Amino acid sequence: MIHNIGYVSLRKEDKTDMKAWEYLEQFEEKEQKKKSANTIRAYMTDLKQFKSYLKKDLELLTEDDINQYKLYLMNKRLKAKTINRKLISIRRFIEHLNSQDAFTDKIHIEIETIKIQRQEYLEDILTYNDYERLIRAAEKENDVRAIAVFSALYLTGMRVSELLQINVSNITDKTISVIGKGDKVRDIFIADQLIKNLNKYIKHRKHKEEDFLFLNENNDNPMSRQSVHRLIKKYAGKAKIKLTRAHAHGFRHLCGYRLIEKGMSLDEVADILGHADINTTRIYTRKTKKDLIKTINKLTE
C-alpha cells in the first residue's frame, strides 16, 4: 500500500529509511513557495556541489567537515559572500531535514558563516568607457536590439527582470510601471535618447505583432534573463571588456554612480533606481576600488 508523505511518495514501512540527500527535491519544492527562481537555482547548485565534495552520507556530517569545506572554497579564491551563500544553502537544507518526522538521523552541528568586515566602496564596476565600447561594438554589427538593451539598462538603471516586462506600447510614455524587487510596483523613467533607440529597434523587429518589447532573434519568444546575459557577454568579448564586469546589474551600478557624479541627490537617485532604503543608494557616493588603489599609490609620488 502506497502512502503520500509530504512531497514524496514512499512505502509506509520504508519511510524512516530515507537518506538525507533524498530530500533534495522535497526541499526544492518547499523553497519555491517562498524564494525567487534565482535563489532556488543557487541553493540547488550549492547543495549538489557540497554533495559531490563531501563523498559521504550527510547524516555523518561533522563541524570539521564544514571547516574543511570553508578552506576548500577559500583556496578556490571564491569571494566571502559567495562562500557564505553556499554555507547558508547547506544550513537551510539541514534545517529542513531536521523538521521532517520521517528523517530520524537528526544533524546537530553549527554552521557559522565567515565574518566580513564592511567596506564601503564599489567593486570593479562597468565604466562609462566600457558602456561606450559595448555600444560601438553593437553598432559595427548593426545590432539595434543590443543597442536598445544596453541603453535601456544604463539610461534607466532598471533590473533585468524589470527590463523584460516592457511592452511595445510602453515606450510612448515618459514613465513605465513595472513590478520590481519584492513584488512592488515602481515607475521607470525614460530618457529621450532611449526612446529613439527603442523606436529604431522596433522598426527592425521581425515579429512586430508581439507585445513584449525585447524578443529573441530567431523566434517571437520574449528574451529571457539568460539571453540578455549572453548578449552582454557576446559584445563584451568583441569590445575586449573584462567579463566579470559584463553583467546586467553592472549597468545599474554605472547608472547610479554616474547620477551621483552629475550632482543628483541621494533621494533623486533612490527614486530612479527604486531603492526602498536610501542607505542602499549611499554606496554610489563612495569611490570604486580602482579609484582607491590610485589614491593609495599617490603615497609614493
Side-chain angles (χ1 to χ4, degrees):
M1 179 178 176
I2 303 297
H3 292 264
N4 190 23
I5 310 292
Y7 300 94
V8 182
S9 292
L10 55 153
R11 296 183 185 279
K12 184 175 182 180
E13 62 270 24
D14 293 338
K15 70 177 182 179
T16 58
D17 294 333
M18 285 184 68
K19 296 295 184 182
W21 292 118
E22 294 178 48
Y23 284 83
L24 267 178
E25 184 178 348
Q26 182 193 84
F27 172 70
E28 182 179 15
E29 291 180 12
K30 178 183 176 184
E31 291 298 304
Q32 282 172 348
K33 298 178 180 179
K34 302 181 290 184
K35 302 292 183 181
S36 69
N38 284 338
T39 300
I40 300 302
R41 195 177 301 115
Y43 279 169
M44 300 311 292
T45 298
D46 293 341
L47 290 168
K48 288 172 184 177
Q49 287 174 349
F50 183 59
K51 180 182 178 183
S52 178
Y53 164 85
L54 191 60
K55 293 184 173 63
K56 68 177 184 182
D57 290 340
L58 191 61
E59 293 87 337
L60 303 176
L61 185 69
T62 65
E63 288 187 18
D64 186 58
D65 291 327
I66 294 296
N67 290 333
Q68 290 300 317
Y69 189 52
K70 287 181 188 177
L71 291 174
Y72 167 75
L73 296 174
M74 290 172 71
N75 288 335
K76 289 173 70 70
R77 302 183 68 83
L78 295 181
K79 291 182 179 180
K81 286 182 180 179
T82 302
I83 295 173
N84 282 345
R85 190 204 70 212
K86 292 179 180 296
L87 295 173
I88 290 169
S89 297
I90 298 167
R91 182 196 292 166
R92 288 189 66 85
F93 181 52
I94 289 174
E95 288 172 352
H96 172 72
L97 288 173
N98 289 338
S99 71
Q100 302 303 303
D101 292 336
F103 182 71
T104 56
D105 296 322
K106 307 301 184 187
I107 302 171
H108 300 291
I109 65 169
E110 292 291 329
I111 299 180
E112 296 184 358
T113 54
I114 298 170
K115 290 182 173 62
I116 304 172
Q117 180 181 343
R118 183 166 180 168
Q119 292 178 283
E120 296 291 354
Y121 60 78
L122 288 168
E123 291 288 350
D124 190 24
I125 66 169
L126 195 73
T127 67
Y128 187 65
N129 179 258
D130 292 334
Y131 169 72
E132 289 183 313
R133 285 159 60 192
L134 283 169
I135 293 294
R136 286 197 297 269
E139 285 174 342
K140 285 182 181 178
E141 301 285 330
N142 195 30
D143 193 339
V144 292
R145 182 185 65 153
I147 294 168
V149 168
F150 300 157
S151 59
L153 288 170
Y154 167 59
L155 292 174
T156 66
M158 73 176 85
R159 302 174 181 91
V160 67
S161 59
E162 296 167 342
L163 174 86
L164 299 177
Q165 297 176 38
I166 300 176
N167 290 325
V168 174
S169 59
N170 293 143
I171 67 166
T172 58
D173 305 323
K174 290 293 185 180
T175 60
I176 299 172
S177 292
V178 296
I179 299 173
K181 194 172 183 180
D183 291 332
K184 295 177 181 176
V185 176
R186 78 179 191 93
D187 287 336
I188 301 291
F189 303 96
I190 308 299
D192 292 339
Q193 181 59 53
L194 177 55
I195 292 175
K196 291 178 184 177
N197 291 348
L198 296 180
N199 279 322
K200 188 173 182 181
Y201 161 59
I202 288 172
K203 289 178 182 177
H204 282 76
R205 288 196 337 163
K206 297 176 183 176
H207 307 281
K208 299 185 184 298
E209 69 284 354
E210 177 59 45
D211 288 336
F212 281 105
L213 178 59
F214 292 109
L215 307 177
N216 293 327
E217 287 187 318
N218 56 347
N219 56 45
D220 59 355
N221 293 330
M223 288 184 77
S224 65
R225 183 183 296 268
Q226 290 73 26
S227 53
V228 172
H229 177 76
R230 286 193 296 269
L231 189 67
I232 295 170
K233 294 292 183 185
K234 171 185 173 180
Y235 283 104
K238 289 179 181 292
K240 295 183 172 22
I241 293 168
K242 194 174 178 181
L243 291 183
T244 53
R245 295 179 188 169
H247 52 82
H249 217 67
F251 293 87
R252 180 171 168 83
H253 286 321
L254 177 59
C255 176
Y257 191 56
R258 293 269 292 173
L259 289 172
I260 291 293
E261 276 190 329
K262 291 182 178 294
M264 294 190 71
S265 69
L266 284 174
D267 287 334
E268 290 172 315
V269 178
D271 284 340
I272 288 172
L273 296 181
H275 288 159
D277 184 351
I278 200 168
N279 287 316
T280 306
T281 318
R282 291 186 191 280
I283 189 67
Y284 299 115
T285 66
R286 304 286 181 166
K287 295 293 185 182
T288 65
K289 184 184 286 188
K290 186 175 181 180
D291 291 334
L292 293 174
I293 290 170
K294 284 182 181 179
T295 300
I296 200 67
N297 280 326
K298 289 180 180 179
L299 289 173
T300 58
E301 292 178 358

